[in-house]
């Protein structure tokens, strides 16, 4: 009896299914244990990652509470109570908490008029290569400010030169220290130019720009005011009233 096309297709499908079943059995017999081991390892790795992530979250929350505890103690003028949590956080593996704790420790020393100790604390932050560069740059500025009277003017200028650049985040603070160092050297021209550069940079906070304009006026250096942000049209130049010398 001849096979019809329908019976032929059914026969071929049955043969194909049987062939696939044999192949699957062969693969399972040969690689079954390896597949099970891989699945177990993947699940174990996922479980370990979730556990580690949970531990990190718990640790971060705990350190956040420690930092808040230290701030609350400092707000209550209790520096002794703040010392322990700050000391613990100063060695944190998290950059933000470590930097915050060390800056706060240095600020406590400044409040105690321990300028040498504060400068050393800021220097330690600046030397921590694992911290982000903005933290380290700020530490250099704070260190220089703390030991300003003990440094030679040229040392201050060289420290601040890389930071007191137009458009830089620290132009205002670093520029003021640089200009003050120039004044100690008797370089009124360079000090005036530095103040004028601060005044002309719209990225500098307005309070620093206003002070720079005043100082540039005292030093008889032209200090153009930075254009206001989102200004519709340039303002007419105001009459220069000058700043009287004290």
């Amino acid at each position: 009896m001849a096979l019809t096309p329908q019976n032929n297709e059914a026969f071929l499908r049955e043969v194909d299914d049987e062939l696939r079943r044999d192949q699957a059995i062969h693969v399972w017999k040969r690689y079954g244990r390896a597949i099970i081991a891989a699945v177990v390892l993947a699940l174990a790795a996922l479980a370990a990652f979730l556990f580690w992530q949970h531990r990190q979250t718990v640790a971060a929350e705990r350190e956040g509470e420690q930092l808040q505890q230290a701030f609350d103690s400092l707000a209550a003028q209790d520096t002794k109570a703040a010392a322990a949590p700050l000391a613990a956080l100063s060695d944190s593996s998290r950059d933000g908490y470590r930097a915050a704790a060390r800056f706060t420790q240095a600020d406590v020393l400044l409040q105690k008029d321990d300028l040498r100790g504060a400068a050393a604390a800021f220097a330690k932050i600046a030397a921590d290569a694992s911290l982000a560069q903005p933290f380290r740059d700020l530490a250099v500025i704070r260190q220089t400010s703390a030991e300003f009277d003990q440094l030679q003017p040229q040392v201050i200028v060289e420290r601040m030169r890389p930071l007191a650049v137009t458009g830089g985040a620290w132009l205002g603070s670093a520029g003021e220290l640089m200009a003050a160092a120039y004044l100690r050297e008797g370089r009124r021209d360079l000090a005036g130019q530095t103040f004028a550069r601060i005044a002309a940079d719209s990225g500098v906070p307005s309070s620093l720009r206003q002070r720079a304009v005043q100082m540039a006026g005292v030093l008889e250096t032209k200090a153009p005011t930075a254009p206001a942000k989102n200004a519709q049209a340039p303002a007419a130049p105001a009459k220069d009233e000058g700043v009287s010398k004290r």
Side-chain angles (χ1 to χ4, degrees):
M1 179 178 177
L3 292 174
T4 64
Q6 290 80 3
N7 292 336
N8 190 39
E9 290 180 6
F11 174 74
L12 291 176
R13 281 198 302 270
E14 185 176 348
V15 171
D16 187 55
D17 291 343
E18 190 66 26
L19 179 61
R20 290 181 180 180
R21 189 179 298 108
D22 289 342
Q23 290 176 340
I25 293 173
H26 175 73
V27 169
W28 178 254
K29 288 181 178 179
R30 184 170 183 181
Y31 303 107
R33 292 182 180 180
I35 292 173
I36 293 175
V39 171
V40 171
L41 287 175
L43 292 175
L46 177 60
F49 172 75
L50 293 176
F51 178 73
W52 173 84
Q53 191 175 50
H54 173 70
R55 290 289 300 273
Q56 291 292 102
T57 301
V58 171
E61 291 175 351
R62 183 173 61 251
E63 291 186 343
E65 292 173 355
Q66 287 180 310
L67 186 61
Q68 186 60 53
Q69 176 188 347
F71 288 161
D72 290 343
S73 298
L74 292 175
Q77 305 298 319
D78 191 350
T79 56
K80 290 184 178 180
L86 288 177
L89 290 172
S90 66
D91 293 325
S92 171
S93 60
R94 295 168 180 81
D95 293 354
Y97 287 124
R98 184 167 72 256
R102 291 183 180 180
F103 272 110
T104 304
Q105 287 175 319
D107 286 336
V108 169
L109 293 173
L110 284 178
Q111 292 178 358
K112 296 179 179 179
D113 292 326
D114 185 357
L115 298 181
R116 180 175 297 180
F122 287 127
K124 184 177 179 180
I125 300 172
D128 188 347
S130 66
L131 289 176
Q133 194 62 43
F135 288 133
R136 301 176 65 191
D137 291 343
L138 177 58
V140 170
I141 293 173
R142 300 294 303 279
Q143 174 192 354
T144 304
S145 178
E147 56 188 6
F148 185 89
D149 293 335
Q150 284 70 47
L151 295 176
Q152 292 296 321
Q154 193 56 36
V155 173
I156 298 171
V157 170
E158 291 305 317
R159 278 190 191 176
M160 297 298 101
R161 193 185 303 279
L163 304 177
V165 295
T166 300
W170 305 114
L171 171 59
S173 301
E176 282 194 329
L177 288 173
M178 177 184 284
Y182 281 138
L183 288 175
R184 281 178 54 186
E185 283 187 314
R187 302 298 304 274
R188 293 171 59 89
D189 55 337
L190 295 179
Q193 293 171 17
T194 303
F195 281 123
R197 188 149 47 89
I198 296 172
D201 193 316
S202 61
V204 175
S206 59
S207 59
L208 293 182
R209 290 206 311 271
Q210 292 171 5
R211 188 159 63 233
V213 170
Q214 294 174 348
M215 290 302 301
V218 169
L219 297 171
E220 299 178 351
T221 302
K222 184 178 180 182
T225 303
K229 294 181 179 179
N230 301 323
Q232 298 297 325
K239 182 177 179 181
D240 185 8
E241 297 177 356
V243 179
S244 58
K245 296 183 180 180
R246 296 182 178 177

